[in-house]
Structures are given as structure tokens and as C-alpha cells.
Amino acid sequence: MEPVTVTTLLAQYGVRQLVGALGGNPALGDLAAQLFGVVLASENRWSEQLAGIERRLDEVLEQRYSTAVGSGLRTLVDAGAATSPQVRQDELHRARAFFTEAVGSARSHLQTALAERYMLLCALALGRDEAAGTALDRLNAAAFEAAVASGQVYAGNGTQERRWSSGNRRQDTRSAAEEAARIAVQLLVEAGLWGVSLGRAAPSQVEGPSVARSLGFTTWNIRPSPHARTLHFGPLRIEWNRVERSPSRRPQILRSNDDRSPAPSDVLHVHGEVQADPVLALPVTLQLASPPEWPSSIPHPGRAGGSWTMEAGNGSFVFFRKSAPLSFFGGSHARLIVGRVFIFDSPPVTRPDARR
């Protein structure tokens, strides 16, 4: 049986109930105890995984970080069990101080994301919405960067991967990268649900994980609600301004030597924008793909002409293409592959005459 997670509690009780439990509502004491128990259990699982990930990536998990997170969580659980409002407030402030130390001693994106998760919970419990918003932004950025960095390591772009000559060691590195990406995505999904309590847009639907054969790496598919042109996930907002199929004006390709009639050919017009808030500290690859039944003169994603890079520090990036590259995924949507890890679906493709 799958363990109960914060995400499943949010789905079961709703974000308002969980925030009320965090805030010390006496009527929700049992739910608060359950929530803090689930948080502690998830940290126990993830801390063990994190130690293995860092070891396989030839990094050392900072003892100061582990001590601060452990002390902060014990104090957070004590706060949840406190019956005195003043004691509860004092314990929450103590826990927040421990997690602040953990953030300062984090050595990886994933460590930072986990520490910011607890900063977010403390701020929500203290009713400090501005501090909660700051922690949420930092959590989203760090978790997203952890996932992107994992994709880079898997692909051989990370410094760790270039150092290994042993096949077994390379496999260890790749398995660590996939494990790190899975934790990062869980944090992003959870953060998106907490964000609703702060007035943020509801996150788009996430499906996966699944292994994309052509990428070789685990990916997650982010889908829009029916006919929506905006997707929200983590720190990113994807705006699909145009996803339209129209007849090509180029010379038609003949079907065969015996058949002189022109073969049908369509062009896919795609125009959109990626917005990052907060801006990311890592460069992110963007690759457009379209269903395989459409012809294309643009190379396969990953080759020259089929991708772009959204440089670190950019708050937005406009992408556009006439006849997007062929896709290995299929379907009736254009797709934006972000950082080799996330696949953002467009709304259904339209024809110009369909709007008349």
C-alpha cells in the first residue's frame, strides 16, 4: 500500500482544512496531528533517499543540514501537539529558526527545496502569508532546478557524469538523477496545492512518471484543462498563444512516379511564451514537438534548429515555429519539452477555417 502523503491529505480534506489545522484550529486537532505525522514520515523516507542520492552523485550530505532539519521537524511536531497557544507559537518560531539554518547549509537544489518546504509549513501555521509566499517561491524554484539538473546529469551534461568511466558508476549516477527528479516533482505538486491557499493559480494536471524512449529519462506530462491556453506548474507559466494547422504553401511532394497529383501537406504554426516567477538560476532547454502524422522540415528535438535555451536569469522566453519538429509522443497537441523532464501539452490544434 502506498504511504499517505501530504498531497493525498490535501486531495482528501482540501487546502482550507489543512491550513486551518496548521493554524491551530482546535476543532481540527486530530487532522493537525495526522498532518504532522505524515510530514515527519515523508522526511524520514526522503532523508534516507537523499543520503543515497548524494552518495551516488559523489557529494557529501552536510551534517549541519541534517541536524537542523531533524531538530526543526521534532520541534514542529511538538508545536502541533501543544495545547497552549503561546507554547505552540514559541515552538513554531523555534522550528522556523532550525529550518532557516537548514536552508543556509543546503548544498544542492533538492536540499534547498526540502528545507523551504518546512519553512512554508511554519509560515502557514504562523499565519504569515507574505513569508509563506516567499518560501513557496523558493521551494518552486529549487525543486524545479533540482529536476532540470537531474535531467542534465542523466544526459551526461553534469560534471559528475563526465567524471565516470565505469559503466556501473554511470548507472548509479543515472539512477540517482531519476530518484532526485521524482522527489522534486512530488515537492512541486504539493507546493502547487499549498499555493492555492495563498491565492495562486491552481496547478495544471500532472501525469506520470513515464519513461520517454527517445529521451531515455523519466518525464512528467503537464496537461491543460479543456481548451485552456495557460498552464501553471512550479515556477513556470506556459502561454499557448497560437497552435494552428493550415495548408502548406510550399511545393507539394508527389506521392509516386505514377501519381502526378500533389500529396496533401499541412504546416503547424506554434507561438507561445514561457514565464518564470521567480526566475531560474539554471539554463533550461526548450524543445517543440508535434504529432508524427504531420510533415516537418525541422530537425528532431535535440538537434540543431529544433530547440532553444532559456538562459539563467530570464523571466520570459517567446517560442514560435512554423511546422514544429516531429514528435516521438504522438497525439493531437503540440508539445513543449522543458529541461528534458517536463512535457507541456498545448490545447487541441485548430484550423483557421474552424473559427469561422
Side-chain angles (χ1 to χ4, degrees):
M1 181 180 294
E2 289 292 322
V4 177
T5 65
V6 174
T7 302
T8 57
L9 287 181
L10 284 163
Q12 182 178 354
Y13 294 101
V15 68
R16 286 189 178 182
Q17 289 280 90
L18 267 292
V19 170
L22 278 175
N25 185 334
L28 299 172
D30 291 342
L31 181 55
Q34 185 181 5
L35 172 60
F36 286 124
V38 168
V39 168
L40 185 60
S42 69
E43 173 57 32
N44 289 337
R45 289 195 308 272
W46 284 342
S47 62
E48 184 176 344
Q49 288 179 270
L50 193 59
I53 289 168
E54 304 297 332
R55 183 177 61 253
R56 281 174 282 164
L57 293 180
D58 199 31
E59 296 177 354
V60 178
L61 186 60
E62 179 68 48
Q63 183 176 1
R64 182 176 158 221
Y65 172 87
S66 301
T67 301
V69 168
S71 299
L73 280 170
R74 286 191 295 273
T75 308
L76 189 61
V77 171
D78 290 343
T83 55
S84 165
Q86 187 58 54
V87 171
R88 185 176 182 280
Q89 289 278 312
D90 291 343
E91 292 295 273
L92 285 171
H93 282 293
R94 286 186 62 232
R96 191 171 187 274
F98 282 124
F99 295 133
T100 299
E101 182 179 354
V103 170
S105 57
R107 297 180 58 177
S108 71
H109 299 296
L110 191 54
Q111 291 172 23
T112 299
L114 285 165
E116 291 291 357
R117 178 202 197 200
Y118 306 124
M119 292 288 284
L120 171 61
L121 293 178
C122 286
L124 289 171
L126 288 165
R128 298 180 57 184
D129 286 356
E130 186 174 343
T134 300
L136 178 64
D137 288 341
R138 291 174 175 169
L139 164 55
N140 274 328
F144 195 86
E145 288 164 354
V148 169
S150 297
Q152 292 175 348
V153 169
Y154 190 96
N157 297 328
T159 55
Q160 297 96 335
E161 181 75 9
R162 287 197 296 267
R163 287 205 301 265
W164 308 132
S165 57
S166 165
N168 289 337
R169 197 58 179 265
R170 178 185 173 113
Q171 186 58 40
D172 282 347
T173 303
R174 287 188 157 187
S175 67
E178 288 201 314
E179 203 171 328
R182 288 171 185 267
I183 295 175
V185 174
Q186 289 181 56
L187 289 170
L188 286 166
V189 172
E190 180 186 312
L193 297 175
W194 285 121
V196 174
S197 70
L198 300 172
R200 306 291 179 89
S204 299
Q205 179 184 356
V206 180
E207 294 183 3
S210 59
V211 177
R213 286 177 297 175
S214 297
L215 295 178
F217 191 65
T218 302
T219 60
W220 284 263
N221 197 188
I222 294 88
R223 299 182 182 278
S225 55
H227 304 291
R229 292 193 169 272
T230 303
L231 291 90
H232 297 267
F233 184 71
L236 294 192
R237 187 172 81 229
I238 310 294
E239 298 278 1
W240 293 96
N241 300 321
R242 183 185 186 189
V243 189
E244 192 174 86
R245 180 176 180 173
S246 60
S248 173
R249 295 182 180 178
R250 295 180 180 177
Q252 304 295 323
I253 302 172
L254 297 181
R255 291 175 181 171
S256 68
N257 291 333
D258 299 328
D259 185 356
R260 298 299 177 183
S261 60
S265 178
D266 279 357
V267 171
L268 180 65
H269 300 259
V270 176
H271 180 278
E273 183 175 2
V274 180
Q275 297 181 354
D277 184 22
V279 297
L280 301 174
L282 288 179
V284 178
T285 59
L286 306 173
Q287 301 168 318
L288 263 179
S290 67
E293 67 268 19
W294 296 337
S296 171
S297 60
I298 295 180
H300 189 281
R303 299 175 188 165
S307 65
W308 308 273
T309 298
M310 182 174 172
E311 297 295 345
N314 277 8
S316 65
F317 186 92
V318 175
F319 60 91
F320 54 90
R321 192 64 81 179
K322 269 190 179 181
S323 196
L326 296 178
S327 169
F328 27 80
F329 298 105
S332 59
H333 307 262
R335 303 188 126 171
L336 186 68
I337 306 168
V338 178
R340 298 178 59 89
V341 180
F342 302 105
I343 302 168
F344 289 84
D345 273 6
S346 74
V349 175
T350 61
R351 285 182 176 274
D353 55 6
R355 300 197 303 267
R356 296 174 184 171

